[in-house]
Amino acid sequence: MITVIGSINMDLVVETDTFPKQGETVQGKLFTTIPGGKGANQAVAAARLGSQVRMIGAVGDDSFGIELYKKLMSENIDVSGIVKTNNSTGIANILLHNRDNRILFVPGANFDLNKEIIDANIQLIRESKLVMMQLEIPAETIEYVFTICQEHAIPVLLNPAPAANFKKEWMNQITYLTPNETECELIFGADWETVLKEYPNKVIVTLGSEGAAYYDGSKIVRIPGFKTTAVDTTGAGDTFNGAFAHAICSGKSIDDAVEFANIAASLSVEKFGAQGGMPTIDEVLARLGGQEV
């Protein structure tokens, strides 16, 4: 069982031909609501690949919260750890223009995910094969989960996004850290190759279409990405994380798990939407050439 502890959001996406200036009103082209939140995205990614997944998070007692709760249930995710609070469901307001975007994130109920909620689900955490977290929930909650996982020898995969919320003192409690190039530099203040050598088999840096890399203790291992035509790169990183967690929990080596995650991410960018593009296990295996995971 993979337990994902993290954010659950509704993405409110508006497409426009013109970014409005301050005080200006312009007409938009398209509005859509898309289930999101890095926690929910990564939970869906792992579940679509066949993992048993449990989600611990918080939504508001509103229409978005109800819709997101039902969406996670429909993906065969155990939602018994999701609570409803008096806050509003978290949202990301995304303004798209000519392949550029501006995003306003309102955490809402995600920041209600506290120690008490974790305590109510502590037995579920203890039963986990791996715990996966991101940084769209309170830091004190993340730290509390680290303590529980360390006490019970449960591996932790942390996706450090947004990177500004990361604390370097967490490194000795993390089993796998999965930053992209930009996040790696923001967190450590150094180029990614230097960082990998400092944390062998722990830091896996994602390199977009170039794949991903890690240091195995003697050399930097670069696992190339699968070249494809991208339609929408939203959620590619979340797909990578969910797929990597699935492969690791299936007993694969880091090398094989990264290759599997790269393939899953390449499939995810071929469709629109973060969760909408996340592949099934059959799709990944077909692109891998039939290797079982």
Side-chain angles (χ1 to χ4, degrees):
M1 176 70 76
I2 296 172
T3 298
V4 180
I5 304 173
S7 56
I8 305 169
N9 296 330
M10 185 64 82
D11 292 345
L12 313 179
V13 183
V14 177
E15 187 176 353
T16 177
D17 286 330
T18 308
F19 272 141
K21 300 174 184 177
Q22 184 174 350
E24 181 184 19
T25 300
V26 299
Q27 182 173 315
K29 291 172 60 179
L30 172 73
F31 171 74
T32 185
T33 57
I34 303 172
K38 297 193 74 63
N41 288 349
Q42 292 174 22
V44 169
R48 289 232 181 119
L49 296 168
S51 280
Q52 287 186 299
V53 179
R54 174 185 296 117
M55 180 87 207
I56 298 176
V59 295
D61 189 12
D62 51 33
S63 59
F64 285 158
I66 294 167
E67 184 177 346
L68 293 169
Y69 186 88
K70 289 180 177 178
K71 177 67 169 67
L72 291 170
M73 282 185 67
S74 74
E75 297 285 351
N76 297 314
I77 293 169
D78 180 346
V79 295
S80 59
I82 298 176
V83 301
K84 293 181 181 178
T85 78
N86 293 326
N87 215 329
S88 60
T89 298
I91 63 102
N93 194 340
I94 304 169
L95 188 61
L96 301 177
H97 166 63
N98 194 26
R99 297 186 180 182
D100 192 8
N101 64 65
R102 297 179 185 182
I103 301 174
L104 183 63
F105 168 57
V106 182
N110 291 306
F111 272 24
D112 293 333
L113 185 52
N114 55 25
K115 178 180 176 181
E116 288 69 30
I117 295 172
I118 299 301
D119 281 340
N121 292 281
I122 198 164
Q123 187 55 41
L124 304 181
I125 296 171
R126 289 171 180 163
E127 296 168 357
S128 304
K129 199 167 186 178
L130 178 142
V131 167
M132 183 158 48
M133 293 189 289
Q134 317 76 33
L135 301 180
E136 293 180 337
I137 58 174
E140 53 269 25
T141 302
I142 293 168
E143 291 168 349
Y144 187 54
V145 174
F146 279 150
T147 301
I148 295 168
C149 290
Q150 202 163 40
E151 288 174 356
H152 298 278
I154 301 166
V156 176
L157 188 163
L158 182 72
N159 178 222
N165 296 339
F166 185 80
K167 299 181 182 181
K168 285 183 70 175
E169 56 262 34
W170 293 344
M171 285 304 296
N172 64 345
Q173 297 173 291
I174 294 168
T175 313
Y176 305 107
L177 186 78
T178 55
N180 60 30
E181 291 176 85
T182 302
E183 290 161 350
C184 199
E185 185 173 341
L186 283 170
I187 290 168
F188 298 101
D191 66 274
W192 61 264
E193 290 192 4
T194 300
V195 176
L196 296 190
K197 291 176 181 177
E198 187 176 351
Y199 299 103
N201 298 307
K202 176 175 284 196
V203 177
I204 297 103
V205 62
T206 57
L207 305 168
S209 62
E210 299 302 311
Y214 70 99
Y215 185 70
D216 68 0
S218 60
K219 65 183 183 301
I220 289 179
V221 180
R222 295 189 66 138
I223 311 294
F226 184 90
K227 301 302 181 184
T228 187
T229 301
V231 173
D232 181 7
T233 59
T234 308
D238 293 331
T239 302
F240 179 95
N241 279 274
F244 180 82
H246 168 79
I248 286 291
C249 289
S250 300
K252 296 298 180 182
S253 65
I254 294 178
D255 195 273
D256 289 342
V258 171
E259 181 185 14
F260 180 85
N262 280 344
I263 294 297
S266 76
L267 284 160
S268 77
V269 304
E270 293 176 354
K271 298 177 183 177
F272 180 75
Q275 295 179 18
M278 289 173 172
T280 64
I281 186 65
D282 289 341
E283 291 172 317
V284 177
L285 292 181
R287 185 160 287 183
L288 267 172
Q291 301 174 47
E292 291 189 8
V293 175

